[in-house]
Amino acid sequence: MIEQPLDATSPKPLYEQVKDFILHHIQDGTFKPHTRIPSERELAQRFGVNRLTVTKAIKELEQAGLVYVRIGKGTFVAPETYNLQLDTLMSFTEEMRQRGHEVSSRVLNAAMTEANAESAHRLCVPVGTRVAILRRVRCVNDQPIALETSTLLASACPDLFEHHDFTAESLYAALRTRYKLALAYAEQTLEARAASREEAVLLEMAERAPVLAIQRVTYDDRSRAVEYASSVYRGDRYKFRAVLKNL
Ligand code: 16G
């Protein structure tokens, strides 16, 4: 661990320098997710600063979601979280690749079937309409992050599973390139809840741990609902971000 003394002559406040020290060690992997970092007292002693200086540094890191404090136990490194834009229509693959992450999927189900009451209602078609169902565990850097079930109008992508291997391919890329679908907009709702037993097993998390459940209906440029997706994201890995405009 690099232990450079703080620079009292620097225009950078001492608490910022302590913050940089902790950040640097999180980024280079010396302080690993869910491990305890040195206590405030240890850090204050190590750098010869007032303990309040260290408290301020840790408070800011906590507010930024980089560490979490367990009262009586210490300060721990938060797991890596992924930011997703809430106000742009992007696919999982696009969002993650844009940030330099590796994406893969475990396909649990890929089949042509008939719309049940729920998916028929969401896609605005009669029950029994031909649909394609794709259920995947979405992984980022080999870690399971989300469970997604997409129900698509089969008429919009008739032979979807004959030409694509969704363990590696992007569904939206297939819809855009092979079926020339212009995905124009989507309506989405989010809610927090506890993971079911099955979700917890598939996402490798504790049962009843928090998840974000998202329902999305995606429309093409003729306002035809083409996909209804029901997704469950690990609550400890995601941050959703949106820019809100004053109307
Ligand atoms: C996103 C969409 C999902 C879509 C998937 C396609 C949400 C909540 N859901 O995860 O509806 O099926 O992207 O991803 O954002 P892909 O193109 O990487 O297969």
Short mmCIF file of all heavy atoms in Angstrom, two decimals, residues 149-210:
data_model
loop_
_atom_site.label_atom_id
_atom_site.label_comp_id
_atom_site.label_asym_id
_atom_site.label_seq_id
_atom_site.Cartn_x
_atom_site.Cartn_y
_atom_site.Cartn_z
N THR A 149 -36.95 -11.29 -18.87
CA THR A 149 -37.84 -12.10 -19.70
C THR A 149 -38.46 -11.18 -20.74
O THR A 149 -39.19 -10.25 -20.39
CB THR A 149 -38.94 -12.75 -18.84
OG1 THR A 149 -38.32 -13.44 -17.77
CG2 THR A 149 -39.78 -13.73 -19.66
N SER A 150 -38.13 -11.41 -22.00
CA SER A 150 -38.67 -10.59 -23.08
C SER A 150 -39.72 -11.39 -23.83
O SER A 150 -39.48 -12.55 -24.20
CB SER A 150 -37.58 -10.23 -24.09
OG SER A 150 -36.59 -9.45 -23.46
N THR A 151 -40.87 -10.77 -24.06
CA THR A 151 -41.91 -11.39 -24.88
C THR A 151 -42.07 -10.50 -26.09
O THR A 151 -42.32 -9.30 -25.96
CB THR A 151 -43.23 -11.49 -24.09
OG1 THR A 151 -42.97 -12.16 -22.86
CG2 THR A 151 -44.29 -12.25 -24.87
N LEU A 152 -41.87 -11.09 -27.26
CA LEU A 152 -41.87 -10.28 -28.50
C LEU A 152 -42.95 -10.77 -29.45
O LEU A 152 -43.26 -11.97 -29.48
CB LEU A 152 -40.52 -10.41 -29.20
CG LEU A 152 -39.34 -10.00 -28.33
CD1 LEU A 152 -38.37 -11.14 -28.19
CD2 LEU A 152 -38.65 -8.80 -28.94
N LEU A 153 -43.49 -9.84 -30.22
CA LEU A 153 -44.47 -10.22 -31.24
C LEU A 153 -43.77 -11.09 -32.26
O LEU A 153 -42.82 -10.64 -32.91
CB LEU A 153 -44.94 -8.97 -31.98
CG LEU A 153 -46.12 -8.18 -31.46
CD1 LEU A 153 -46.54 -7.17 -32.52
CD2 LEU A 153 -47.27 -9.10 -31.10
N ALA A 154 -44.23 -12.33 -32.43
CA ALA A 154 -43.53 -13.24 -33.36
C ALA A 154 -43.63 -12.72 -34.79
O ALA A 154 -42.72 -12.91 -35.59
CB ALA A 154 -44.12 -14.64 -33.24
N SER A 155 -44.72 -12.02 -35.10
CA SER A 155 -44.86 -11.52 -36.48
C SER A 155 -43.77 -10.49 -36.81
O SER A 155 -43.46 -10.28 -37.98
CB SER A 155 -46.25 -10.91 -36.69
OG SER A 155 -46.46 -9.91 -35.72
N ALA A 156 -43.21 -9.86 -35.77
CA ALA A 156 -42.17 -8.85 -36.02
C ALA A 156 -40.78 -9.48 -36.14
O ALA A 156 -39.87 -8.87 -36.68
CB ALA A 156 -42.18 -7.83 -34.88
N CYS A 157 -40.65 -10.71 -35.62
CA CYS A 157 -39.33 -11.38 -35.68
C CYS A 157 -39.56 -12.89 -35.78
O CYS A 157 -39.26 -13.65 -34.86
CB CYS A 157 -38.49 -11.02 -34.45
SG CYS A 157 -39.39 -11.24 -32.89
N PRO A 158 -40.13 -13.33 -36.94
CA PRO A 158 -40.67 -14.69 -37.08
C PRO A 158 -39.72 -15.85 -36.77
O PRO A 158 -40.13 -16.82 -36.15
CB PRO A 158 -41.13 -14.75 -38.53
CG PRO A 158 -40.91 -13.43 -39.14
CD PRO A 158 -40.22 -12.54 -38.17
N ASP A 159 -38.45 -15.77 -37.19
CA ASP A 159 -37.57 -16.93 -36.99
C ASP A 159 -36.41 -16.56 -36.06
O ASP A 159 -35.28 -16.98 -36.25
CB ASP A 159 -37.06 -17.44 -38.34
CG ASP A 159 -36.61 -16.28 -39.23
OD1 ASP A 159 -36.58 -15.12 -38.74
OD2 ASP A 159 -36.30 -16.51 -40.41
N LEU A 160 -36.73 -15.77 -35.05
CA LEU A 160 -35.72 -15.19 -34.16
C LEU A 160 -34.70 -16.20 -33.62
O LEU A 160 -33.50 -15.94 -33.62
CB LEU A 160 -36.44 -14.51 -32.98
CG LEU A 160 -35.57 -13.72 -32.02
CD1 LEU A 160 -34.98 -12.50 -32.70
CD2 LEU A 160 -36.40 -13.28 -30.80
N PHE A 161 -35.19 -17.35 -33.19
CA PHE A 161 -34.27 -18.28 -32.53
C PHE A 161 -33.52 -19.19 -33.50
O PHE A 161 -32.69 -19.98 -33.09
CB PHE A 161 -35.02 -19.09 -31.47
CG PHE A 161 -35.67 -18.18 -30.44
CD1 PHE A 161 -37.01 -18.29 -30.15
CD2 PHE A 161 -34.91 -17.21 -29.79
CE1 PHE A 161 -37.59 -17.44 -29.20
CE2 PHE A 161 -35.49 -16.36 -28.86
CZ PHE A 161 -36.84 -16.47 -28.56
N GLU A 162 -33.86 -19.09 -34.77
CA GLU A 162 -33.14 -19.94 -35.73
C GLU A 162 -31.82 -19.32 -36.16
O GLU A 162 -30.95 -20.00 -36.66
CB GLU A 162 -34.01 -20.18 -36.98
CG GLU A 162 -35.12 -21.18 -36.67
CD GLU A 162 -36.24 -21.09 -37.69
OE1 GLU A 162 -35.94 -20.89 -38.89
OE2 GLU A 162 -37.41 -21.22 -37.26
N HIS A 163 -31.70 -18.03 -36.00
CA HIS A 163 -30.52 -17.36 -36.53
C HIS A 163 -29.63 -16.72 -35.48
O HIS A 163 -28.60 -16.16 -35.82
CB HIS A 163 -30.94 -16.26 -37.52
CG HIS A 163 -31.74 -16.81 -38.66
ND1 HIS A 163 -31.15 -17.46 -39.71
CD2 HIS A 163 -33.08 -16.86 -38.86
CE1 HIS A 163 -32.11 -17.85 -40.54
NE2 HIS A 163 -33.27 -17.51 -40.04
N HIS A 164 -30.06 -16.73 -34.23
CA HIS A 164 -29.28 -15.99 -33.23
C HIS A 164 -29.00 -16.82 -31.99
O HIS A 164 -29.83 -17.61 -31.56
CB HIS A 164 -30.03 -14.71 -32.82
CG HIS A 164 -30.24 -13.80 -33.98
ND1 HIS A 164 -29.26 -12.95 -34.42
CD2 HIS A 164 -31.31 -13.65 -34.81
CE1 HIS A 164 -29.71 -12.30 -35.48
NE2 HIS A 164 -30.95 -12.71 -35.74
N ASP A 165 -27.81 -16.60 -31.46
CA ASP A 165 -27.44 -17.26 -30.21
C ASP A 165 -27.35 -16.17 -29.15
O ASP A 165 -26.38 -15.40 -29.11
CB ASP A 165 -26.07 -17.95 -30.40
CG ASP A 165 -25.50 -18.42 -29.08
OD1 ASP A 165 -26.24 -18.42 -28.07
OD2 ASP A 165 -24.31 -18.77 -29.04
N PHE A 166 -28.38 -16.11 -28.31
CA PHE A 166 -28.45 -14.99 -27.38
C PHE A 166 -27.58 -15.15 -26.13
O PHE A 166 -27.67 -14.34 -25.22
CB PHE A 166 -29.92 -14.67 -27.06
CG PHE A 166 -30.62 -14.08 -28.25
CD1 PHE A 166 -31.60 -14.78 -28.92
CD2 PHE A 166 -30.26 -12.83 -28.72
CE1 PHE A 166 -32.22 -14.24 -30.04
CE2 PHE A 166 -30.86 -12.27 -29.83
CZ PHE A 166 -31.85 -12.99 -30.50
N THR A 167 -26.75 -16.16 -26.11
CA THR A 167 -25.76 -16.20 -25.02
C THR A 167 -24.72 -15.11 -25.27
O THR A 167 -24.16 -14.56 -24.35
CB THR A 167 -25.02 -17.57 -24.91
OG1 THR A 167 -24.52 -17.88 -26.19
CG2 THR A 167 -25.94 -18.65 -24.42
N ALA A 168 -24.51 -14.81 -26.57
CA ALA A 168 -23.50 -13.81 -26.90
C ALA A 168 -24.07 -12.60 -27.63
O ALA A 168 -23.50 -11.53 -27.59
CB ALA A 168 -22.43 -14.46 -27.77
N GLU A 169 -25.23 -12.78 -28.28
CA GLU A 169 -25.74 -11.67 -29.12
C GLU A 169 -26.73 -10.77 -28.40
O GLU A 169 -27.35 -11.17 -27.42
CB GLU A 169 -26.44 -12.25 -30.36
CG GLU A 169 -25.47 -12.76 -31.40
CD GLU A 169 -26.21 -13.34 -32.59
OE1 GLU A 169 -26.88 -12.59 -33.31
OE2 GLU A 169 -26.14 -14.56 -32.78
N SER A 170 -26.86 -9.57 -28.95
CA SER A 170 -27.81 -8.59 -28.41
C SER A 170 -29.16 -8.75 -29.11
O SER A 170 -29.23 -8.80 -30.34
CB SER A 170 -27.25 -7.19 -28.64
OG SER A 170 -28.27 -6.23 -28.76
N LEU A 171 -30.21 -8.78 -28.31
CA LEU A 171 -31.56 -8.90 -28.86
C LEU A 171 -31.91 -7.66 -29.70
O LEU A 171 -32.41 -7.77 -30.82
CB LEU A 171 -32.57 -9.06 -27.71
CG LEU A 171 -34.04 -9.02 -28.09
CD1 LEU A 171 -34.41 -10.18 -29.01
CD2 LEU A 171 -34.92 -9.04 -26.84
N TYR A 172 -31.64 -6.48 -29.15
CA TYR A 172 -31.98 -5.25 -29.88
C TYR A 172 -31.19 -5.16 -31.20
O TYR A 172 -31.73 -4.70 -32.20
CB TYR A 172 -31.71 -4.01 -29.02
CG TYR A 172 -32.83 -3.66 -28.06
CD1 TYR A 172 -33.86 -4.56 -27.78
CD2 TYR A 172 -32.86 -2.43 -27.42
CE1 TYR A 172 -34.87 -4.24 -26.89
CE2 TYR A 172 -33.88 -2.10 -26.52
CZ TYR A 172 -34.88 -3.01 -26.26
OH TYR A 172 -35.88 -2.69 -25.39
N ALA A 173 -29.95 -5.62 -31.19
CA ALA A 173 -29.17 -5.59 -32.43
C ALA A 173 -29.83 -6.49 -33.47
O ALA A 173 -29.96 -6.13 -34.64
CB ALA A 173 -27.73 -6.01 -32.16
N ALA A 174 -30.31 -7.66 -33.03
CA ALA A 174 -30.97 -8.59 -33.96
C ALA A 174 -32.25 -7.96 -34.49
O ALA A 174 -32.54 -8.02 -35.69
CB ALA A 174 -31.28 -9.91 -33.26
N LEU A 175 -33.03 -7.33 -33.59
CA LEU A 175 -34.29 -6.73 -34.04
C LEU A 175 -34.02 -5.61 -35.05
O LEU A 175 -34.74 -5.47 -36.04
CB LEU A 175 -35.07 -6.16 -32.85
CG LEU A 175 -35.54 -7.18 -31.80
CD1 LEU A 175 -36.30 -6.47 -30.68
CD2 LEU A 175 -36.44 -8.25 -32.43
N ARG A 176 -32.96 -4.86 -34.81
CA ARG A 176 -32.68 -3.73 -35.71
C ARG A 176 -32.08 -4.19 -37.03
O ARG A 176 -32.47 -3.70 -38.09
CB ARG A 176 -31.70 -2.77 -35.03
CG ARG A 176 -32.37 -1.95 -33.94
CD ARG A 176 -31.36 -1.04 -33.27
NE ARG A 176 -31.98 -0.24 -32.24
CZ ARG A 176 -31.50 -0.11 -31.00
NH1 ARG A 176 -30.40 -0.72 -30.63
NH2 ARG A 176 -32.13 0.65 -30.13
N THR A 177 -31.14 -5.13 -36.97
CA THR A 177 -30.45 -5.46 -38.21
C THR A 177 -31.18 -6.51 -39.04
O THR A 177 -31.45 -6.30 -40.22
CB THR A 177 -29.00 -5.90 -37.94
OG1 THR A 177 -29.03 -6.94 -36.97
CG2 THR A 177 -28.14 -4.78 -37.43
N ARG A 178 -31.57 -7.63 -38.43
CA ARG A 178 -32.23 -8.67 -39.23
C ARG A 178 -33.66 -8.31 -39.59
O ARG A 178 -34.12 -8.51 -40.70
CB ARG A 178 -32.20 -10.01 -38.50
CG ARG A 178 -33.04 -11.08 -39.17
CD ARG A 178 -32.82 -12.43 -38.57
NE ARG A 178 -31.58 -13.00 -39.03
CZ ARG A 178 -31.47 -13.74 -40.14
NH1 ARG A 178 -32.53 -13.98 -40.88
NH2 ARG A 178 -30.32 -14.23 -40.49
N TYR A 179 -34.40 -7.76 -38.59
CA TYR A 179 -35.84 -7.52 -38.82
C TYR A 179 -36.16 -6.06 -39.14
O TYR A 179 -37.31 -5.70 -39.29
CB TYR A 179 -36.65 -8.03 -37.62
CG TYR A 179 -36.39 -9.50 -37.40
CD1 TYR A 179 -35.53 -9.92 -36.38
CD2 TYR A 179 -36.95 -10.46 -38.23
CE1 TYR A 179 -35.25 -11.27 -36.20
CE2 TYR A 179 -36.68 -11.80 -38.06
CZ TYR A 179 -35.82 -12.20 -37.05
OH TYR A 179 -35.55 -13.53 -36.88
N LYS A 180 -35.10 -5.26 -39.22
CA LYS A 180 -35.25 -3.84 -39.59
C LYS A 180 -36.28 -3.11 -38.73
O LYS A 180 -37.02 -2.25 -39.22
CB LYS A 180 -35.64 -3.68 -41.08
CG LYS A 180 -34.74 -4.44 -42.02
CD LYS A 180 -33.40 -3.76 -42.18
CE LYS A 180 -32.45 -4.52 -43.06
NZ LYS A 180 -31.27 -5.07 -42.44
N LEU A 181 -36.37 -3.49 -37.47
CA LEU A 181 -37.32 -2.80 -36.59
C LEU A 181 -36.72 -1.49 -36.12
O LEU A 181 -35.57 -1.47 -35.66
CB LEU A 181 -37.65 -3.67 -35.37
CG LEU A 181 -38.53 -4.89 -35.60
CD1 LEU A 181 -38.76 -5.63 -34.30
CD2 LEU A 181 -39.86 -4.47 -36.20
N ALA A 182 -37.48 -0.43 -36.21
CA ALA A 182 -37.01 0.86 -35.70
C ALA A 182 -37.59 1.00 -34.30
O ALA A 182 -38.77 1.34 -34.14
CB ALA A 182 -37.48 1.97 -36.61
N LEU A 183 -36.78 0.67 -33.29
CA LEU A 183 -37.26 0.77 -31.91
C LEU A 183 -37.28 2.25 -31.57
O LEU A 183 -36.24 2.90 -31.53
CB LEU A 183 -36.36 -0.03 -30.97
CG LEU A 183 -36.24 -1.51 -31.31
CD1 LEU A 183 -35.24 -2.20 -30.41
CD2 LEU A 183 -37.60 -2.20 -31.24
N ALA A 184 -38.48 2.79 -31.36
CA ALA A 184 -38.59 4.25 -31.26
C ALA A 184 -38.66 4.76 -29.83
O ALA A 184 -38.05 5.77 -29.50
CB ALA A 184 -39.81 4.71 -32.05
N TYR A 185 -39.45 4.11 -29.00
CA TYR A 185 -39.57 4.57 -27.61
C TYR A 185 -40.06 3.43 -26.74
O TYR A 185 -40.49 2.38 -27.24
CB TYR A 185 -40.49 5.80 -27.50
CG TYR A 185 -41.92 5.55 -27.92
CD1 TYR A 185 -42.90 5.25 -26.96
CD2 TYR A 185 -42.30 5.61 -29.26
CE1 TYR A 185 -44.22 5.02 -27.35
CE2 TYR A 185 -43.62 5.38 -29.63
CZ TYR A 185 -44.57 5.08 -28.68
OH TYR A 185 -45.86 4.84 -29.05
N ALA A 186 -39.99 3.64 -25.43
CA ALA A 186 -40.45 2.60 -24.51
C ALA A 186 -41.10 3.25 -23.30
O ALA A 186 -40.80 4.39 -22.95
CB ALA A 186 -39.27 1.74 -24.07
N GLU A 187 -42.01 2.50 -22.71
CA GLU A 187 -42.62 2.95 -21.45
C GLU A 187 -42.11 2.02 -20.38
O GLU A 187 -42.12 0.79 -20.58
CB GLU A 187 -44.13 2.74 -21.56
CG GLU A 187 -44.92 4.00 -21.73
CD GLU A 187 -46.39 3.66 -21.89
OE1 GLU A 187 -46.95 3.00 -20.99
OE2 GLU A 187 -46.93 4.03 -22.94
N GLN A 188 -41.71 2.57 -19.27
CA GLN A 188 -41.05 1.72 -18.28
C GLN A 188 -41.51 2.07 -16.86
O GLN A 188 -41.67 3.23 -16.54
CB GLN A 188 -39.54 1.97 -18.41
CG GLN A 188 -38.68 1.05 -17.63
CD GLN A 188 -37.24 1.08 -18.14
OE1 GLN A 188 -36.96 0.57 -19.21
NE2 GLN A 188 -36.36 1.69 -17.41
N THR A 189 -41.69 1.06 -16.04
CA THR A 189 -41.95 1.31 -14.62
C THR A 189 -40.93 0.55 -13.80
O THR A 189 -40.42 -0.50 -14.22
CB THR A 189 -43.36 0.84 -14.18
OG1 THR A 189 -43.46 -0.56 -14.44
CG2 THR A 189 -44.46 1.58 -14.90
N LEU A 190 -40.60 1.11 -12.63
CA LEU A 190 -39.61 0.47 -11.74
C LEU A 190 -40.22 0.32 -10.36
O LEU A 190 -40.89 1.25 -9.90
CB LEU A 190 -38.41 1.41 -11.51
CG LEU A 190 -37.32 1.54 -12.53
CD1 LEU A 190 -37.67 2.62 -13.50
CD2 LEU A 190 -36.05 1.89 -11.82
N GLU A 191 -39.97 -0.79 -9.72
CA GLU A 191 -40.38 -0.88 -8.31
C GLU A 191 -39.38 -1.71 -7.53
O GLU A 191 -38.75 -2.61 -8.07
CB GLU A 191 -41.80 -1.44 -8.17
CG GLU A 191 -41.90 -2.89 -8.48
CD GLU A 191 -43.35 -3.39 -8.48
OE1 GLU A 191 -44.00 -3.31 -7.44
OE2 GLU A 191 -43.79 -3.84 -9.55
N ALA A 192 -39.25 -1.36 -6.25
CA ALA A 192 -38.33 -2.10 -5.39
C ALA A 192 -39.11 -3.20 -4.71
O ALA A 192 -40.26 -3.02 -4.32
CB ALA A 192 -37.75 -1.15 -4.35
N ARG A 193 -38.48 -4.37 -4.59
CA ARG A 193 -39.09 -5.46 -3.83
C ARG A 193 -38.01 -6.44 -3.41
O ARG A 193 -36.83 -6.23 -3.70
CB ARG A 193 -40.21 -6.13 -4.62
CG ARG A 193 -39.78 -6.77 -5.93
CD ARG A 193 -40.93 -7.64 -6.45
NE ARG A 193 -40.67 -8.18 -7.77
CZ ARG A 193 -39.91 -9.23 -8.03
NH1 ARG A 193 -39.23 -9.84 -7.04
NH2 ARG A 193 -39.75 -9.66 -9.27
N ALA A 194 -38.43 -7.49 -2.71
CA ALA A 194 -37.46 -8.49 -2.26
C ALA A 194 -37.35 -9.60 -3.30
O ALA A 194 -38.34 -9.93 -3.96
CB ALA A 194 -37.91 -9.07 -0.93
N ALA A 195 -36.15 -10.16 -3.46
CA ALA A 195 -35.94 -11.23 -4.44
C ALA A 195 -36.68 -12.50 -4.02
O ALA A 195 -36.70 -12.84 -2.84
CB ALA A 195 -34.44 -11.53 -4.56
N SER A 196 -37.28 -13.17 -5.00
CA SER A 196 -37.89 -14.48 -4.72
C SER A 196 -36.75 -15.49 -4.58
O SER A 196 -35.59 -15.18 -4.92
CB SER A 196 -38.81 -14.90 -5.87
OG SER A 196 -38.01 -15.16 -7.01
N ARG A 197 -37.10 -16.68 -4.17
CA ARG A 197 -36.05 -17.71 -4.01
C ARG A 197 -35.36 -17.99 -5.36
O ARG A 197 -34.15 -18.04 -5.45
CB ARG A 197 -36.68 -18.99 -3.46
CG ARG A 197 -35.68 -20.13 -3.33
CD ARG A 197 -36.33 -21.31 -2.73
NE ARG A 197 -36.83 -20.94 -1.40
CZ ARG A 197 -36.87 -21.75 -0.37
NH1 ARG A 197 -36.43 -22.98 -0.50
NH2 ARG A 197 -37.34 -21.36 0.78
N GLU A 198 -36.20 -18.15 -6.42
CA GLU A 198 -35.63 -18.46 -7.74
C GLU A 198 -34.70 -17.33 -8.22
O GLU A 198 -33.60 -17.57 -8.71
CB GLU A 198 -36.75 -18.69 -8.75
CG GLU A 198 -36.23 -19.27 -10.05
CD GLU A 198 -37.10 -18.95 -11.26
OE1 GLU A 198 -37.94 -18.03 -11.19
OE2 GLU A 198 -36.89 -19.61 -12.29
N GLU A 199 -35.17 -16.09 -8.06
CA GLU A 199 -34.36 -14.94 -8.50
C GLU A 199 -33.05 -14.89 -7.72
O GLU A 199 -31.99 -14.63 -8.28
CB GLU A 199 -35.15 -13.64 -8.28
CG GLU A 199 -36.29 -13.46 -9.25
CD GLU A 199 -37.35 -12.46 -8.78
OE1 GLU A 199 -37.25 -11.95 -7.64
OE2 GLU A 199 -38.28 -12.21 -9.56
N ALA A 200 -33.15 -15.16 -6.41
CA ALA A 200 -31.95 -15.10 -5.56
C ALA A 200 -30.93 -16.15 -6.03
O ALA A 200 -29.73 -15.87 -6.11
CB ALA A 200 -32.33 -15.32 -4.11
N VAL A 201 -31.41 -17.33 -6.37
CA VAL A 201 -30.49 -18.39 -6.83
C VAL A 201 -29.84 -17.98 -8.15
O VAL A 201 -28.62 -18.01 -8.31
CB VAL A 201 -31.24 -19.75 -6.97
CG1 VAL A 201 -30.36 -20.78 -7.66
CG2 VAL A 201 -31.69 -20.25 -5.60
N LEU A 202 -30.67 -17.52 -9.11
CA LEU A 202 -30.14 -17.18 -10.43
C LEU A 202 -29.21 -15.97 -10.39
O LEU A 202 -28.25 -15.89 -11.14
CB LEU A 202 -31.30 -16.91 -11.40
CG LEU A 202 -32.13 -18.14 -11.78
CD1 LEU A 202 -33.38 -17.72 -12.53
CD2 LEU A 202 -31.30 -19.10 -12.64
N LEU A 203 -29.50 -15.03 -9.49
CA LEU A 203 -28.67 -13.82 -9.43
C LEU A 203 -27.58 -13.93 -8.35
O LEU A 203 -26.87 -12.96 -8.08
CB LEU A 203 -29.55 -12.59 -9.18
CG LEU A 203 -30.53 -12.27 -10.31
CD1 LEU A 203 -31.43 -11.09 -9.95
CD2 LEU A 203 -29.79 -11.96 -11.61
N GLU A 204 -27.49 -15.10 -7.76
CA GLU A 204 -26.44 -15.38 -6.74
C GLU A 204 -26.45 -14.34 -5.63
O GLU A 204 -25.44 -13.72 -5.32
CB GLU A 204 -25.06 -15.48 -7.41
CG GLU A 204 -24.99 -16.66 -8.37
CD GLU A 204 -23.69 -16.74 -9.14
OE1 GLU A 204 -22.72 -16.10 -8.75
OE2 GLU A 204 -23.68 -17.49 -10.16
N MET A 205 -27.63 -14.15 -5.08
CA MET A 205 -27.75 -13.21 -3.96
C MET A 205 -28.61 -13.84 -2.86
O MET A 205 -29.20 -14.90 -3.07
CB MET A 205 -28.38 -11.89 -4.45
CG MET A 205 -29.76 -12.05 -5.02
SD MET A 205 -30.28 -10.64 -6.02
CE MET A 205 -30.27 -9.35 -4.84
N ALA A 206 -28.65 -13.18 -1.70
CA ALA A 206 -29.42 -13.73 -0.60
C ALA A 206 -30.91 -13.62 -0.90
O ALA A 206 -31.35 -12.65 -1.52
CB ALA A 206 -29.09 -12.97 0.68
N GLU A 207 -31.67 -14.65 -0.47
CA GLU A 207 -33.11 -14.59 -0.67
C GLU A 207 -33.65 -13.40 0.11
O GLU A 207 -33.15 -13.08 1.18
CB GLU A 207 -33.73 -15.89 -0.14
CG GLU A 207 -35.09 -16.11 -0.70
CD GLU A 207 -35.72 -17.38 -0.16
OE1 GLU A 207 -34.98 -18.32 0.19
OE2 GLU A 207 -36.96 -17.40 -0.06
N ARG A 208 -34.63 -12.72 -0.45
CA ARG A 208 -35.26 -11.53 0.14
C ARG A 208 -34.37 -10.29 0.04
O ARG A 208 -34.74 -9.24 0.55
CB ARG A 208 -35.70 -11.72 1.61
CG ARG A 208 -36.44 -13.00 1.93
CD ARG A 208 -37.82 -13.11 1.38
NE ARG A 208 -38.70 -12.00 1.71
CZ ARG A 208 -39.75 -11.62 0.98
NH1 ARG A 208 -40.02 -12.26 -0.14
NH2 ARG A 208 -40.51 -10.62 1.34
N ALA A 209 -33.20 -10.38 -0.58
CA ALA A 209 -32.35 -9.18 -0.77
C ALA A 209 -33.10 -8.25 -1.73
O ALA A 209 -33.91 -8.70 -2.54
CB ALA A 209 -31.00 -9.57 -1.34
N PRO A 210 -32.84 -6.93 -1.67
CA PRO A 210 -33.59 -6.01 -2.53
C PRO A 210 -33.25 -6.12 -4.01
O PRO A 210 -32.07 -6.28 -4.37
CB PRO A 210 -33.22 -4.63 -2.00
CG PRO A 210 -32.01 -4.82 -1.18
CD PRO A 210 -31.94 -6.25 -0.75
#
